[in-house]
Amino acid sequence: MVGGSRLRLSAAALGGLVLVWALLTACAGPSQYYAGSGLHDATVAEVAGGWRNVEGTRVVLGHDGTALVERLDGQDFGFDDGWRLSGTGTWRLADGDGDGGQVVRLELTARTRVDRRLPVTAIGASAPEPPSTYSWEFSVDRDRRGALTLFFFYGDPDAGNAYVMTRETAS
């Protein structure tokens, strides 16, 4: 019987450790603990210009700090509301917190249009009113070729979904 008690005690201790580990990592999705790209060499001149997303989003960042936004989705849980904002605003390139790297802070100050990524019936009858102003923070990184990319995470933090903007190409 002594061996059976030890086995049960060991199993209970192991179960307790697994439970503690599960609780500590339950909401530890990649975006929640993203430490940034560590990039610190991007310039305003390099960031300014047109940016696109595969979903038809377009953002133009002027050299003078002005911004034009077309059909940009919400960041984090704002994405789940299904709206896409268009309008004008401002932007700036800044160093993020700590050594995380640079970020583009984009402020929509004048909304001109709202589109819906999802039909209102899919969102639900109580879909929130889209905001008239909004702020995004894009992380700045470089791809394998050294070209800049801008991105933020959206939706459930555990999913790690990235909304990636790439440099607009000449038509």
Side-chain angles (χ1 to χ4, degrees):
M1 278 308 220
V2 173
S5 294
R6 283 187 190 158
L7 183 59
R8 279 192 293 274
L9 186 59
S10 295
L14 180 60
L17 287 174
V18 169
L19 179 62
V20 168
W21 176 81
L23 289 172
L24 290 174
T25 61
C27 294
S31 65
Q32 192 168 16
Y33 297 108
Y34 177 68
S37 67
L39 185 73
H40 295 282
D41 66 351
T43 65
V44 169
E46 196 176 13
V47 175
W51 296 86
R52 289 203 178 265
N53 175 281
V54 296
E55 299 294 323
T57 298
R58 182 171 184 253
V59 174
V60 179
L61 305 174
H63 290 274
D64 61 354
T66 59
L68 173 66
V69 175
E70 296 176 2
R71 304 183 72 215
L72 185 54
D73 294 281
Q75 189 168 357
D76 298 322
F77 284 112
F79 182 86
D80 295 338
D81 293 336
W83 46 256
R84 307 183 88 200
L85 301 178
S86 298
T88 58
T90 61
W91 75 278
R92 68 184 179 94
L93 178 64
D95 263 315
D97 297 330
D99 290 330
Q102 291 171 296
V103 295
V104 169
R105 293 195 171 109
L106 175 61
E107 301 281 334
L108 180 77
T109 55
R111 185 180 81 187
T112 58
R113 190 175 84 223
V114 175
D115 293 298
R116 292 274 182 194
R117 186 181 65 260
L118 304 169
V120 174
T121 55
I123 299 168
S126 63
E129 176 65 26
S132 56
T133 62
Y134 196 78
S135 299
W136 294 266
E137 184 171 285
F138 290 89
S139 293
V140 179
D141 202 1
R142 293 192 187 278
D143 64 16
R144 285 178 258 145
R145 298 173 317 208
L148 284 185
T149 59
L150 306 178
F151 67 95
F152 62 77
F153 292 104
Y154 67 89
D156 184 342
D158 292 330
N161 296 317
Y163 197 93
V164 180
M165 303 289 291
T166 56
R167 178 65 70 186
E168 204 168 50
T169 57
S171 308

